[in-house]
mmCIF file of all heavy atoms in Angstrom:
data_model
loop_
_atom_site.group_PDB
_atom_site.id
_atom_site.type_symbol
_atom_site.label_atom_id
_atom_site.label_comp_id
_atom_site.label_asym_id
_atom_site.label_seq_id
_atom_site.Cartn_x
_atom_site.Cartn_y
_atom_site.Cartn_z
ATOM 1 N N ALA Q 130 123.502 78.934 125.724
ATOM 2 C CA ALA Q 130 122.452 78.033 125.315
ATOM 3 C C ALA Q 130 123.024 76.877 124.471
ATOM 4 O O ALA Q 130 122.484 75.751 124.674
ATOM 5 C CB ALA Q 130 121.491 78.976 124.513
ATOM 6 N N LYS Q 131 123.952 77.092 123.684
ATOM 7 C CA LYS Q 131 124.543 75.992 122.833
ATOM 8 C C LYS Q 131 125.151 74.991 123.833
ATOM 9 O O LYS Q 131 125.130 73.817 123.514
ATOM 10 C CB LYS Q 131 125.624 76.646 121.825
ATOM 11 C CG LYS Q 131 124.910 77.295 120.688
ATOM 12 C CD LYS Q 131 125.854 78.060 119.804
ATOM 13 C CE LYS Q 131 126.822 77.367 119.005
ATOM 14 N NZ LYS Q 131 126.153 76.773 117.857
ATOM 15 N N LYS Q 132 125.890 75.494 124.743
ATOM 16 C CA LYS Q 132 126.555 74.626 125.778
ATOM 17 C C LYS Q 132 125.548 73.718 126.571
ATOM 18 O O LYS Q 132 125.675 72.629 126.773
ATOM 19 C CB LYS Q 132 127.441 75.361 126.802
ATOM 20 C CG LYS Q 132 128.693 75.943 126.150
ATOM 21 C CD LYS Q 132 129.594 76.551 127.072
ATOM 22 C CE LYS Q 132 130.663 77.239 126.491
ATOM 23 N NZ LYS Q 132 131.914 76.987 126.495
ATOM 24 N N ARG Q 133 124.476 74.432 126.942
ATOM 25 C CA ARG Q 133 123.459 73.760 127.643
ATOM 26 C C ARG Q 133 122.855 72.588 126.810
ATOM 27 O O ARG Q 133 122.615 71.552 127.220
ATOM 28 C CB ARG Q 133 122.287 74.640 128.048
ATOM 29 C CG ARG Q 133 122.444 75.356 129.461
ATOM 30 C CD ARG Q 133 121.323 75.988 129.968
ATOM 31 N NE ARG Q 133 120.590 76.831 129.103
ATOM 32 C CZ ARG Q 133 120.880 78.220 128.869
ATOM 33 N NH1 ARG Q 133 121.915 78.705 129.547
ATOM 34 N NH2 ARG Q 133 120.244 78.954 127.982
ATOM 35 N N ARG Q 134 122.565 72.907 125.574
ATOM 36 C CA ARG Q 134 122.052 71.971 124.532
ATOM 37 C C ARG Q 134 122.968 70.733 124.376
ATOM 38 O O ARG Q 134 122.607 69.625 124.263
ATOM 39 C CB ARG Q 134 121.738 72.696 123.271
ATOM 40 C CG ARG Q 134 121.080 71.858 122.198
ATOM 41 C CD ARG Q 134 119.554 71.687 122.660
ATOM 42 N NE ARG Q 134 118.895 70.802 121.648
ATOM 43 C CZ ARG Q 134 117.974 69.839 122.042
ATOM 44 N NH1 ARG Q 134 117.571 69.757 123.325
ATOM 45 N NH2 ARG Q 134 117.457 69.084 121.132
ATOM 46 N N GLY Q 135 124.246 71.031 124.342
ATOM 47 C CA GLY Q 135 125.249 69.942 124.233
ATOM 48 C C GLY Q 135 125.266 69.160 125.343
ATOM 49 O O GLY Q 135 125.417 67.948 125.312
ATOM 50 N N GLU Q 136 125.087 69.650 126.650
ATOM 51 C CA GLU Q 136 125.113 68.778 127.794
ATOM 52 C C GLU Q 136 123.898 68.037 127.798
ATOM 53 O O GLU Q 136 124.040 66.762 128.193
ATOM 54 C CB GLU Q 136 125.074 69.863 129.173
ATOM 55 C CG GLU Q 136 126.395 70.503 129.286
ATOM 56 C CD GLU Q 136 127.562 69.685 129.419
ATOM 57 O OE1 GLU Q 136 127.483 68.601 130.209
ATOM 58 O OE2 GLU Q 136 128.666 70.082 128.906
ATOM 59 N N VAL Q 137 122.766 68.518 127.315
ATOM 60 C CA VAL Q 137 121.509 67.597 127.316
ATOM 61 C C VAL Q 137 121.797 66.433 126.371
ATOM 62 O O VAL Q 137 121.371 65.353 126.669
ATOM 63 C CB VAL Q 137 120.337 68.413 126.792
ATOM 64 C CG1 VAL Q 137 119.120 67.593 126.480
ATOM 65 C CG2 VAL Q 137 119.913 69.513 127.848
ATOM 66 N N LYS Q 138 122.361 66.647 125.266
ATOM 67 C CA LYS Q 138 122.694 65.646 124.232
ATOM 68 C C LYS Q 138 123.720 64.653 124.899
ATOM 69 O O LYS Q 138 123.644 63.417 124.582
ATOM 70 C CB LYS Q 138 123.115 66.255 122.905
ATOM 71 C CG LYS Q 138 122.126 66.961 122.131
ATOM 72 C CD LYS Q 138 122.526 67.488 120.831
ATOM 73 C CE LYS Q 138 121.343 68.053 120.099
ATOM 74 N NZ LYS Q 138 121.743 68.308 118.629
ATOM 75 N N LYS Q 139 124.607 65.262 125.593
ATOM 76 C CA LYS Q 139 125.904 64.288 126.086
ATOM 77 C C LYS Q 139 125.191 63.274 127.179
ATOM 78 O O LYS Q 139 125.525 62.229 127.204
ATOM 79 C CB LYS Q 139 126.782 65.190 126.663
ATOM 80 C CG LYS Q 139 128.144 64.422 126.840
ATOM 81 C CD LYS Q 139 129.137 65.238 127.521
ATOM 82 C CE LYS Q 139 129.667 66.392 126.694
ATOM 83 N NZ LYS Q 139 130.736 67.201 127.407
ATOM 84 N N GLY Q 140 124.023 63.800 127.766
ATOM 85 C CA GLY Q 140 123.472 62.971 128.881
ATOM 86 C C GLY Q 140 122.608 61.882 128.247
ATOM 87 O O GLY Q 140 122.254 60.915 129.037
ATOM 88 N N ARG Q 141 122.420 61.786 126.950
ATOM 89 C CA ARG Q 141 121.631 60.794 126.306
ATOM 90 C C ARG Q 141 122.529 59.654 125.947
ATOM 91 O O ARG Q 141 123.733 59.818 125.885
ATOM 92 C CB ARG Q 141 120.897 61.307 125.123
ATOM 93 C CG ARG Q 141 119.946 62.371 125.420
ATOM 94 C CD ARG Q 141 119.194 62.731 124.038
ATOM 95 N NE ARG Q 141 118.426 63.945 124.173
ATOM 96 C CZ ARG Q 141 118.166 64.708 123.213
ATOM 97 N NH1 ARG Q 141 118.890 64.637 122.120
ATOM 98 N NH2 ARG Q 141 117.506 65.780 123.451
ATOM 99 N N GLY Q 142 121.891 58.562 125.466
ATOM 100 C CA GLY Q 142 122.661 57.436 124.799
ATOM 101 C C GLY Q 142 123.394 56.483 125.649
ATOM 102 O O GLY Q 142 122.588 55.870 126.521
ATOM 103 N N ARG Q 143 124.643 56.229 125.652
ATOM 104 C CA ARG Q 143 125.335 55.137 126.161
ATOM 105 C C ARG Q 143 124.956 55.013 127.694
ATOM 106 O O ARG Q 143 125.130 56.009 128.470
ATOM 107 C CB ARG Q 143 126.797 55.228 126.026
ATOM 108 C CG ARG Q 143 127.220 55.035 124.613
ATOM 109 C CD ARG Q 143 128.816 54.926 124.619
ATOM 110 N NE ARG Q 143 129.339 56.109 125.324
ATOM 111 C CZ ARG Q 143 130.228 56.889 124.776
ATOM 112 N NH1 ARG Q 143 130.588 56.785 123.491
ATOM 113 N NH2 ARG Q 143 130.681 57.957 125.318
ATOM 114 N N PHE Q 144 124.729 53.699 128.074
ATOM 115 C CA PHE Q 144 124.708 53.316 129.380
ATOM 116 C C PHE Q 144 125.634 52.241 129.795
ATOM 117 O O PHE Q 144 125.682 51.241 129.294
ATOM 118 C CB PHE Q 144 123.240 52.819 129.943
ATOM 119 C CG PHE Q 144 122.141 53.866 129.947
ATOM 120 C CD1 PHE Q 144 121.318 54.040 128.812
ATOM 121 C CD2 PHE Q 144 122.129 54.764 130.964
ATOM 122 C CE1 PHE Q 144 120.388 55.080 128.970
ATOM 123 C CE2 PHE Q 144 121.041 55.757 131.050
ATOM 124 C CZ PHE Q 144 120.256 55.897 130.037
#
Side-chain angles (χ1 to χ4, degrees):
K131 286 167 73 77
K132 285 189 193 242
R133 274 194 308 275
R134 187 73 185 142
E136 291 300 320
V137 167
K138 289 184 173 188
K139 199 184 287 184
R141 296 181 192 150
R143 291 189 307 238
F144 286 101

